[in-house]
Amino acid sequence: MFAMSAGLALRVPLRAEGHRMPLRARKTQMGGAAPYPYNFITVEPTYTINDPEAVQQIMLEYLTNSKSEPGLCYCGFSTTRSAPDDTAPGWRFSAAVGDKLFVREAYPDAEATLFHLANVAPLREKLLAEPATLASLELHGPAAALETCRLAISDEGGLTDAIKGASFFEVQSGLSRLEKESGGMPLPLVLVSLHTTFSVSDTAAATRLCEEIVQRAESEENCLYCGWTRNGDQLVCREAYGTVTGLAKHADNIRECMDALTSGPAKLEASQLHASVGQMKVFNEFVADTRRERGYCSQETERFLAADMGYSRVE
């Protein structure tokens, strides 16, 4: 169940000062490009799985329906896995009752986000009828776009109460190397994404450190996006890399900043890594070899294995 594959690398284009290059880069390139605005929206539902087989079938249909949406950056899903399974390809565990399902999806603006929420509404209701239970739903993006989504969700009678209870996290700072956030050729979703949540006690100090982390990430190869969103005293770092190797270098590059952030200004509450089987094995080797037992990018990081049916339409 939930088979995996390695997939392809994403392209990151070059950009000229003040405007886009007339021709995009012809080769795969993760570093060296000037960053673009960190203004995309991610919709992040987390479910508790009640019926693994039913969830699998519904999510296949979910991805098929989403693929036809014109304004979509990427869409896929990942799960925790606790059931021993000698037949599972590449990973000897399968999703079981009580495991988590996380949907990874991003959109360039509020219009595309709302179109998607309406488009998959029947499948979301089918999923919640019995196969899964919604544990949380978060929307992350620019303040103005989130306000548009918030108003539309509160006024739309066809949306479920669960959707109306979503939490909204506004962008504070960040960088993206996605030149074209939607409309590109559909490619396998292979990004390695990390979602880390903090509770903030010193806003000024935390803000300075978050901005420094973004600045350091700007020089990193393999970084697709890195930035911060906030809801009240909850702070979230959304970041993605082409490979775990890139993420590991990033963790080393920002170690001092992250140690300073979590030594007073903020407390690390939870962290989730979403990656393929092959990339997850590399991550496990990384944390074991470096003896990272606790904190950011460590043994404590919750692992979500990505299914190979996801896709992206970014460049």
Side-chain angles (χ1 to χ4, degrees), residues 82-293:
S82 61
D85 184 356
D86 291 338
T87 66
W91 196 268
R92 298 190 178 279
F93 290 88
S94 293
V97 174
D99 281 331
K100 297 178 182 179
L101 164 71
F102 184 92
V103 184
R104 298 196 293 171
E105 45 194 1
Y107 310 89
D109 50 42
E111 182 181 7
T113 302
L114 292 170
F115 182 91
H116 166 76
L117 290 175
N119 183 42
V120 299
L123 290 171
R124 184 173 57 247
E125 293 175 1
K126 185 177 179 181
L127 187 66
L128 292 172
E130 187 173 344
T133 303
L134 185 66
S136 65
L137 174 60
E138 299 176 357
L139 275 71
H140 299 250
L146 290 186
E147 183 62 19
T148 299
C149 292
R150 194 196 324 264
L151 292 174
I153 289 174
S154 63
D155 293 339
E156 180 58 58
L159 296 176
T160 64
D161 290 339
I163 293 297
K164 294 178 181 179
S167 299
F168 296 85
F169 290 74
E170 298 181 0
V171 168
Q172 302 295 296
S173 62
L175 67 89
S176 168
R177 289 203 171 95
L178 307 180
E179 180 193 27
K180 188 176 182 181
E181 292 179 340
S182 65
M185 180 183 298
L187 294 172
L189 179 61
V190 298
L191 60 84
V192 174
S193 56
L194 183 69
H195 305 250
T196 310
T197 303
F198 304 80
S199 56
V200 177
S201 55
D202 185 337
T203 299
T207 298
R208 289 194 298 270
L209 289 164
C210 291
E211 290 176 350
E212 184 175 350
I213 287 172
V214 172
Q215 291 172 0
R216 292 195 180 197
E218 185 173 345
S219 65
E220 296 172 356
E221 295 183 354
N222 212 239
C223 178
L224 299 178
Y225 59 79
C226 175
W228 300 85
T229 61
R230 185 166 180 174
N231 180 338
D233 65 352
Q234 294 296 297
L235 185 67
V236 174
C237 185
R238 298 186 302 175
E239 45 192 353
Y241 293 80
T243 64
V244 164
T245 300
L247 175 61
K249 292 180 178 179
H250 169 72
D252 184 62
N253 186 33
I254 67 166
R255 179 189 292 271
E256 293 177 357
C257 298
M258 192 59 71
D259 287 346
L261 178 65
T262 55
S263 65
K267 177 184 177 182
L268 194 155
E269 299 291 351
S271 188
Q272 302 176 351
L273 178 66
H274 303 264
S276 67
V277 165
Q279 293 296 324
M280 196 66 74
K281 289 181 177 178
V282 175
F283 180 78
N284 289 339
E285 293 173 358
F286 162 66
V287 296
D289 291 345
T290 55
R291 299 181 180 179
R292 301 176 69 96
E293 298 296 330

Side-chain angles (χ1 to χ4, degrees), residues 49-63:
I49 298 174
N50 302 324
D51 185 336
E53 292 186 4
V55 167
Q56 166 82 343
Q57 294 303 313
I58 293 170
M59 289 309 301
L60 289 176
E61 189 176 353
Y62 186 102
L63 292 180

Side-chain angles (χ1 to χ4, degrees), residues 11-117:
R11 285 193 300 147
V12 178
L14 297 170
R15 188 181 186 184
E17 183 68 22
H19 66 281
R20 296 188 180 187
M21 295 288 285
L23 295 176
R24 296 194 177 105
R26 294 288 189 249
K27 63 181 180 179
T28 299
Q29 181 172 302
M30 296 296 182
Y36 292 93
Y38 183 72
N39 57 10
F40 58 92
I41 301 172
T42 52
V43 179
E44 304 180 7
T46 301
Y47 300 87
T48 301
I49 298 174
N50 302 324
D51 185 336
E53 292 186 4
V55 167
Q56 166 82 343
Q57 294 303 313
I58 293 170
M59 289 309 301
L60 289 176
E61 189 176 353
Y62 186 102
L63 292 180
T64 299
N65 285 14
S66 298
K67 192 173 185 178
S68 64
E69 297 172 10
L72 184 138
C73 302
Y74 59 77
C75 184
F77 66 93
S78 56
T79 63
T80 57
R81 302 187 178 192
S82 61
D85 184 356
D86 291 338
T87 66
W91 196 268
R92 298 190 178 279
F93 290 88
S94 293
V97 174
D99 281 331
K100 297 178 182 179
L101 164 71
F102 184 92
V103 184
R104 298 196 293 171
E105 45 194 1
Y107 310 89
D109 50 42
E111 182 181 7
T113 302
L114 292 170
F115 182 91
H116 166 76
L117 290 175

